[in-house]
């Protein structure tokens, strides 16, 4: 058996953990054994005068709304307010290669043997091993211990492609939409599916931002979480929007998106009636959005994520502006996001300036 | 989730017999097979009588039956693993489940036999969702559903044409992989069924499959054989070829293909290294065949399998 005893690299100087919060960060205590080596970027949503206490011993920077306004100036309104979509500000100001983002109501889950799951370690494994989007392997991720490519899998495709996104799942409260929550308020996800797989090229999926990691250098600029929350007609579609844009761009650039392990324990069921109000426009808009993304093609000269993203924003304006004026505003915000991203992350400055505290 | 009721007489279980003594195989499967009608097709190259235990409702087909039906035409060969396709041809049932004769039922954590046939039937009689990926896998399984962000218009799904199961113990690896990792055994039970998205190609293994023959039957033809095809699974690609045809057809007809549960337990047979010594064309052929399947487009006028 190949020596798989080499442990997964920590990547502690190459990965930032981005956490949006409006309440508190008590959940970090449970994650301490796994998160303490890493730098945290806390994006504080809501009232900036509230003091959010970060548990002792963590290395972090914290940004509230005042900081966002100061850093982005006139572009600040592309970052949502009163919605966890604001987390993407954390992606923008990070200087690391990898991002892991997690919600503040997500705790450490246990696998079927009772062992606590180090979700971050699994995300790192997923991101550091290739993806296989061009041909589906029936034994799922062939790079995991104890498995491989099956008979019939073309050898020329066995090197795979770089993995840009690792999408994790949730035990306990599943990520259902409001109508499903209303119909099945007591349903809990108790099934531990021991697999990671690549989502095939050309297939869209609903990307949940609760337990997500990505390679910021490969795909960062695509992870804009849109205009949600206060003053916006829609909520709870931030991660969906980012996921559809990201998947189209990954497919175009030949990058992989994995889903499956790791699981976290999702503890809080949000109020389905509140959710319904936020989602209802999204539910019928998405019937237009999905065909839009499914038929979206990017020209060959879109060779960077930024170019792809700008092209998508043009198509959004052209084709979705007529669905609702919201999409015109969203297209403009997408451009602002890319401009802000490029200003804060000038190309070539891969070492970047040392990351100091927000204030 | 309500259990879909289908009549047992809508199902045929087709077994290609590549070994003469089927006693232990049949006895292992007896609790599962006894309800159903079986079609056993003896590999026309296998000499001697088949040994089959009593108490099964079955029809046995041998070389003479095959020759009588298809003549001595050399365009379709039913020898080796391809003998089971003869079983598909003669079956009149809507659902066909096919099992290689070196597989026994898998057992769950409590040692209970997993009824793989029932799982295939469930897969085939619940909708598939090929147009959008559900991150909680099969939304029609008990205890799960579509996730937030899954478009409502796609939630009724489409009919499932093919159900591809998996293998514990000896997974379906090709000869080079098995030769490189001779001790690798698949012990990971992935408790999921999922729909393989439209336009995604996959290697369909013939070891453990179920299909709706009314929907996709004609696409399952043993058309592709290696010139030196052997009697071990890793010396064949007939099922891989057939599987790619079926997937393209399903994608075109907007039918679903599921993969995942059920698992069988596949037993040891043969030496991968011995197989490697033979001229191994399958690898090279796949490289040409795959781009063809990825780009083939069927005309609008093609509305049946």
């Amino acid at each position: 058996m190949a020596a798989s005893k080499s442990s997964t690299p920590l990547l502690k100087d190459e990965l930032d953990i981005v956490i949006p919060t409006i309440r508190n960060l008590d959940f970090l205590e449970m994650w301490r054994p796994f998160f303490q080596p890493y730098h945290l970027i806390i994006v504080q949503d809501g009232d900036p005068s509230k003091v959010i206490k970060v548990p002792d011993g963590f290395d972090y920077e914290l940004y509230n709304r005042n900081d966002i306004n100061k850093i982005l100036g006139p572009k600040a309104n592309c970052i949502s307010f009163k919605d966890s979509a604001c987390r993407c500000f954390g992606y923008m100001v990070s200087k690391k290669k990898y991002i892991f983002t997690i919600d503040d109501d997500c705790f450490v889950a246990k696998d079927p043997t009772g062992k606590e799951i180090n979700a971050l370690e699994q995300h790192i494994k997923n991101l550091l091993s290739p993806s296989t989007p061009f041909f589906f392997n029936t034994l799922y991720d062939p790079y995991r211990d104890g498995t491989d490519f099956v008979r019939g899998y073309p050898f020329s495709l066995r090197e795979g492609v770089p993995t840009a996104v690792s999408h994790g799942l949730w035990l306990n409260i599943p990520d259902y939409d409001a109508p499903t929550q209303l119909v099945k308020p007591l349903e809990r996800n108790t099934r531990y599916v021991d697999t990671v797989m690549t989502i095939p090229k050309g297939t869209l999926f609903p990307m949940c931002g609760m337990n997500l990691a990505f390679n910021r250098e490969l795909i960062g600029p695509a992870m804009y979480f849109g205009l949600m929350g206060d003053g916006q007609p829609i909520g709870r579609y931030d991660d969906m929007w980012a996921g559809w844009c990201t998947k189209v761009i990954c497919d175009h650039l030949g990058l992989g998106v994995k889903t499956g392990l790791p699981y976290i324990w999702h503890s809080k069921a949000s109020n389905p009636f509140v959710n319904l109000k936020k989602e209802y426009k999204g539910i019928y808009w998405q019937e237009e959005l999905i065909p839009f993304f499914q038929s979206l093609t990017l020209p060959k000269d879109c060779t960077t994520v930024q170019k792809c993203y700008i092209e998508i924003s043009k198509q959004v304006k052209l084709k979705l502006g007529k669905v609702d004026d919201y999409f015109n505003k969203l297209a403009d915000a997408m451009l602002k996001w890319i401009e802000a991203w490029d200003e804060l992350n000038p190309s070539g400055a891969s070492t970047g300036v040392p990351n100091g505290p927000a204030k | 989730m309500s259990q879909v009721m289908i009549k047992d007489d809508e199902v045929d279980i087709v077994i290609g017999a590549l070994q003469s003594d089927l006693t232990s195989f049949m006895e292992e499967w007896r609790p599962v097979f006894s309800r159903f009608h079986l079609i056993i097709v003896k590999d026309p190259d296998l000499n001697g009588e088949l040994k089959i235990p009593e108490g099964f409702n079955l029809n046995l087909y041998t070389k003479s039956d095959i020759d009588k039906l298809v003549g001595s035409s050399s365009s379709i060969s039913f020898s080796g693993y391809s003998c089971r396709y003869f079983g598909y041809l003669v079956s009149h049932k809507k659902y066909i489940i096919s099992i290689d004769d070196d597989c026994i039922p898998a057992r769950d954590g409590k040692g209970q036999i997993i009824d793989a046939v029932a799982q295939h039937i469930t897969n085939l009689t619940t909708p598939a969702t090929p147009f959008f990926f559900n991150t909680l896998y099969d939304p029609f399984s008990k205890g799960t559903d579509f996730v937030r962000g899954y478009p409502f218009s796609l939630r009724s799904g489409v009919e499932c044409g093919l159900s591809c199961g998996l293998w514990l113990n000896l997974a379906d690896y090709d000869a080079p992989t098995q030769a490189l990792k001779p001790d690798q055994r698949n012990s990971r039970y992935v408790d999921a069924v999922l729909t393989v998205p439209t336009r995604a190609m996959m290697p369909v293994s013939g070891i453990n499959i179920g299909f709706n023959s009314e929907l996709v039957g004609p696409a399952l033809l043993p058309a592709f054989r290696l010139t030196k095809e052997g009697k071990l699974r890793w010396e064949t690609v007939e099922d891989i070829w057939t599987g790619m045809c079926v997937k393209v057809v399903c994608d075109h007809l907007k039918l679903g293909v599921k993969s995942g549960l059920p698992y069988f337990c596949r037993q040891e047979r043969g030496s991968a290294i011995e197989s490697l010594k033979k001229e191994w064309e399958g690898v090279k052929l796949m490289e040409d065949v795959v781009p063809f399947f990825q780009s083939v487009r069927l005309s609008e006028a093609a509305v049946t399998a």
Side-chain angles (χ1 to χ4, degrees), chain B residues 110-305:
Chain B
K110 302 187 188 79
Q112 296 291 326
I113 283 186
I114 294 173
D115 187 344
V117 174
Q119 181 66 57
H120 273 303
I121 292 170
T122 300
N123 294 349
L124 291 169
T125 51
T126 50
T129 51
F131 305 118
F132 206 84
F133 190 87
N134 191 45
T135 48
L136 282 185
Y137 315 110
D138 185 354
F140 300 99
S141 291
K142 223 184 198 143
T144 187
D145 213 306
F146 291 97
V147 296
R148 174 175 59 95
Y150 201 104
F152 278 80
S153 61
L154 296 179
R155 293 192 190 198
S156 36
V158 296
E159 275 193 278
C160 182
L162 183 68
S163 164
C164 307
L166 294 173
W167 341 270
L168 289 171
N169 194 41
L170 208 64
D172 191 14
Y173 293 140
D174 49 50
T177 305
Q178 197 71 70
L180 202 64
K181 298 178 171 183
D183 300 324
Q184 174 131 308
R185 296 293 174 268
N186 187 25
S187 53
R188 183 175 290 143
Y189 185 88
V190 179
D191 187 8
V193 183
L194 56 98
T195 300
V196 181
T198 193
R199 285 167 312 175
M201 285 287 102
M202 61 186 285
V204 173
S205 165
I207 296 173
N208 173 5
I209 60 166
F211 61 94
N212 181 326
S213 77
E214 281 177 14
L215 290 178
V216 302
L220 280 139
L221 259 195
F224 187 77
R225 292 174 60 85
L226 303 178
T227 48
K228 292 184 187 140
E229 182 166 298
K231 307 296 181 197
L232 295 171
R233 260 294 173 207
W234 45 54
E235 294 166 4
T236 71
V237 286
E238 46 83 17
D239 49 350
I240 308 297
W241 170 272
T242 306
M244 289 206 279
C245 292
V246 175
K247 184 62 167 60
V248 168
V249 165
C250 284
D251 288 350
H252 178 76
L253 296 177
K254 298 195 182 355
L255 302 170
V257 172
K258 292 187 184 178
S259 183
L261 301 179
Y263 280 87
F264 291 167
C265 184
R266 189 159 166 253
Q267 297 173 296
E268 319 285 323
R269 193 153 82 181
S271 154
I273 298 192
E274 287 301 312
S275 299
L276 272 183
K277 288 181 190 163
K278 301 184 182 175
E279 195 188 310
W280 203 59
E281 318 152 17
V283 173
K284 290 183 270 167
L285 286 166
M286 282 300 294
E287 301 299 333
D288 296 323
V289 151
V290 165
F292 163 74
F293 277 107
Q294 282 173 330
S295 57
V296 74
R297 296 281 176 267
L298 300 170
S299 85
E300 295 288 320
V303 295
T304 61

Side-chain angles (χ1 to χ4, degrees), chain A residues 145-161:
Chain A
D145 287 344
T147 187
D148 214 304
F149 290 97
V150 298
R151 176 176 57 98
Y153 201 103
F155 276 81
S156 60
L157 296 178
R158 293 194 190 198
E159 266 184 33
V161 297

Side-chain angles (χ1 to χ4, degrees), chain A residues 260-271:
Chain A
L261 300 183
Y263 282 90
I264 48 88
W265 180 269
H266 185 211
S267 67
K268 194 170 170 293
S270 39
N271 182 307

